[in-house]
């Protein structure tokens, strides 16, 4: 098949799981024999008037839409797969492609079309004020990058394209988890328009033994919940290795207990090696995670996961099987469960189960077939 992939790239680069998913799916499809073209523009200005101009493009970018349509026609694309539209592409691209009879599919990695920051998180707490409503509450709270003007523009984009039926021109939405799908249905999206398509992780050398340290990999920001671990860590539990960077980095380093080691940002290709030496991956997020890529990568090397019982995480982590889930705000339960994982036999058993789950659900072979079936179904819907 000929597939055009579109993605408004996040400025966080390789630190963005979504950016990495896009690039990995391109590689997966190419290795599977498909003709793939990728366009992933990045916003260049995200402060002051530049932020406002960038946000305005989110409403209706004629230039981007014309370019997308030209690319699809020149490439003779059988299907166009969109990941992130906002802010550089705009939903207008969907209309332009649909007018040419080119089927469009959209992956729902987050809550972009219902919530201005796409996270359902405000002031470090879950917020569903805009779910199923026009998102003007998000404008009042300046939810998009702390700017009332930019939030207003983003709210206009979502409201306008919702009213004129732009999202109804998508052949199929792919939610990365059942939780994400249910949230979109709550917001009014037709259930039949949304299928579930999981991400995948590449194979890597599998862990031997029970592992050494406990590991956190991710952005050091409030929604990831790592502060609970860092402040309360007991060296008797062993080492806690923190991989990643972010706005909370300096504060976390200053308040860290003994036994906590910070390694900063690590390139994605080095993550499997770090995971392979871990006893367990810790994922203490306090927000509605959709389908964290790092959990799939842990499973691929046979490492169990201890994670917050929130969002789509419960669909990935099975208690007493591939790891444990605990309430995100229960520090005592977090540390009690971490203590359980010091048992070598338990850590090995859970890691073996995690690897089996990766083979059955999240391998590249499974990921490729899921994509091919989704594209074929979308093409049939458009009679192509």
């Amino acid at each position: 098949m000929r597939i055009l992939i579109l993605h408004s790239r996040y400025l966080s680069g390789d630190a963005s799981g979504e950016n990495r998913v896009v690039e990995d799916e391109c590689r997966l499809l190419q290795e599977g024999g498909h003709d793939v073209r990728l366009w992933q523009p990045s916003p260049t200005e995200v402060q002051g008037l530049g932020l406002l101009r960038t946000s305005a493009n989110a409403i209706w970018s004629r230039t981007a839409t014309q370019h997308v349509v030209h690319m699809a026609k020149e490439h003779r694309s059988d299907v166009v797969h969109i990941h992130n539209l906002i802010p550089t592409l705009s939903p207008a691209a969907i209309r332009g492609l649909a007018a040419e009879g080119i089927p469009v599919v959209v992956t729902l990695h987050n809550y972009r079309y219902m919530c201005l920051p796409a996270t359902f998180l405000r002031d470090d707490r879950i917020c569903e004020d805009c779910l199923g409503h026009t998102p003007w509450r998000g404008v009042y709270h300046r939810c998009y990058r702390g700017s009332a003007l930019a939030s207003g523009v983003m709210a206009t984009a979502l409201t306008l394209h919702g009213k004129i039926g732009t999202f109804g021109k998508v052949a199929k939405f792919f939610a990365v988890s059942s939780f994400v799908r249910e949230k979109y249905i709550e917001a009014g999206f037709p259930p039949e328009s949304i299928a579930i398509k999981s991400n995948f992780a590449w194979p890597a050398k599998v862990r031997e033994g029970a592992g050494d340290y406990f590991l956190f990999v991710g952005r050091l920001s409030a929604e990831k919940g790592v502060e609970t671990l860092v402040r309360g860590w007991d060296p008797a539990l062993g080492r806690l290795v923190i991989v990643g960077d972010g706005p909370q980095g300096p504060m976390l380093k200053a308040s860290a207990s003994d036994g906590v080691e910070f390694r900063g940002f690590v390139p994605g290709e080095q993550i499997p090696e770090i995971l392979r030496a871990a006893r367990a991956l810790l994922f203490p997020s306090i927000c509605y995670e959709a389908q964290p890529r790092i959990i799939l990568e842990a499973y691929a090397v046979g490492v169990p996961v201890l994670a917050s019982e929130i969002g789509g995480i419960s669909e990935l982590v099975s208690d007493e099987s591939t790891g444990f889930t605990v309430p995100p705000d229960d520090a005592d339960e977090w540390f009690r469960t971490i203590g359980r994982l010091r048992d070598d036999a338990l850590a090995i058993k859970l890691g073996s189960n995690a690897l089996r789950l990766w083979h059955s659900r999240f391998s590249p072979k499974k990921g490729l077939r899921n994509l091919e079936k989704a594209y074929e179904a979308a093409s049939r819907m458009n009679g192509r």
Side-chain angles (χ1 to χ4, degrees):
M1 295 185 76
R2 293 185 177 91
I3 304 143
L4 173 61
I5 296 179
L6 305 176
H7 177 55
S8 180
R9 188 172 171 82
Y10 295 99
L11 293 175
S12 50
D14 287 345
S16 163
E18 192 170 328
N19 284 350
R20 292 173 58 208
V21 165
V22 172
E23 291 169 0
D24 284 349
E25 285 193 356
C26 285
R27 172 186 159 191
L28 183 70
L29 290 163
Q30 287 168 340
E31 291 180 357
H34 299 283
D35 182 349
V36 180
R37 184 170 295 182
L38 168 65
W39 188 42
Q40 49 177 349
S42 296
T44 56
E45 298 178 285
V46 292
Q47 300 294 332
L49 291 176
L51 172 61
L52 186 57
R53 283 192 295 268
T54 299
S55 301
N57 278 333
I59 299 177
W60 204 293
S61 177
R62 256 182 215 176
T63 301
T65 298
Q66 290 170 354
H67 184 63
V68 163
V69 171
H70 174 74
M71 286 180 66
K73 293 171 74 174
E74 180 186 54
H75 182 235
R76 292 182 295 140
S77 304
D78 295 304
V79 64
V80 175
H81 186 169
I82 294 172
H83 287 267
N84 180 40
L85 279 167
I86 295 173
T88 57
L89 298 174
S90 89
I94 297 172
R95 302 185 68 85
L97 292 164
E100 298 293 334
I102 303 169
V104 176
V105 297
V106 176
T107 293
L108 303 173
H109 294 276
N110 50 41
Y111 313 99
R112 173 65 62 197
Y113 306 117
M114 304 177 284
C115 170
L116 301 189
T119 60
F120 282 132
L121 198 72
R122 177 166 59 83
D123 297 332
D124 301 337
R125 296 180 181 275
I126 296 296
C127 171
E128 295 187 0
D129 285 356
C130 294
L131 179 61
H133 304 286
T134 303
W136 296 114
R137 296 166 183 81
V139 179
Y140 174 79
H141 292 294
R142 305 176 180 226
C143 288
Y144 186 70
R145 294 188 176 274
S147 166
L149 284 174
S151 296
V153 173
M154 291 290 285
T156 299
L158 296 179
T159 302
L160 170 66
H161 287 286
K163 293 290 186 185
I164 65 176
T166 297
F167 302 123
K169 298 181 182 297
V170 173
K172 207 73 172 178
F173 289 98
F174 303 148
V176 296
S177 67
S178 295
F179 185 87
V180 172
R181 181 176 184 270
E182 289 304 315
K183 285 299 172 189
Y184 275 91
I185 292 172
E186 283 184 52
F189 281 62
E192 64 276 10
S193 72
I194 310 174
I196 298 171
K197 186 200 71 61
S198 293
N199 294 320
F200 76 97
W202 297 109
K205 186 177 178 182
V206 177
R207 181 184 74 177
E208 296 179 1
D212 180 13
Y213 46 75
F214 291 94
L215 176 66
F216 169 86
V217 180
R219 178 173 163 79
L220 302 186
S221 51
E223 73 274 9
K224 296 302 180 181
V226 70
E227 184 177 358
T228 298
L229 299 179
V230 169
R231 286 183 180 275
W233 191 259
D234 183 349
L237 295 171
R239 282 192 298 154
L240 171 62
V241 174
I242 306 290
V243 172
D245 206 350
Q248 281 197 326
M251 179 273 289
L252 292 172
K253 291 175 185 177
S255 61
S257 303
D258 291 339
V260 181
E261 173 187 339
F262 290 85
R263 296 195 182 177
F265 172 76
V266 172
E269 62 270 17
Q270 296 178 22
I271 294 299
E273 182 179 353
I274 295 172
L275 277 167
R276 191 161 51 246
R279 178 166 290 261
L281 176 74
L282 307 182
F283 199 88
S285 183
I286 63 171
C287 66
Y288 285 160
E289 297 283 353
Q291 190 186 68
R293 177 72 177 278
I294 189 63
I295 293 179
L296 308 187
E297 292 175 313
Y299 288 173
V301 298
V303 169
V305 175
L306 171 57
S308 295
E309 189 176 6
I310 193 170
I313 295 175
S314 296
E315 299 170 41
L316 293 180
V317 183
S318 299
D319 282 318
E320 307 281 351
S321 176
T322 61
F324 297 99
T325 57
V326 297
D329 56 352
D330 190 341
D332 290 342
E333 184 64 12
W334 266 95
F335 290 114
R336 187 190 71 79
T337 309
I338 290 170
R340 287 189 63 188
L341 286 165
R342 285 174 51 79
D343 181 291
D344 287 357
L346 179 61
I348 291 171
K349 183 189 82 169
L350 297 178
S352 297
N353 292 340
L355 182 60
R356 280 195 291 272
L357 183 62
W358 172 79
H359 276 292
S360 65
R361 287 181 56 191
F362 306 117
S363 69
K365 180 179 179 181
K366 188 72 173 178
L368 178 61
R369 188 59 193 138
N370 286 343
L371 282 168
E372 290 172 336
K373 287 169 63 178
Y375 294 154
E376 289 163 5
S379 294
R380 284 196 301 270
M381 289 175 65
N382 277 53
R384 295 171 71 89

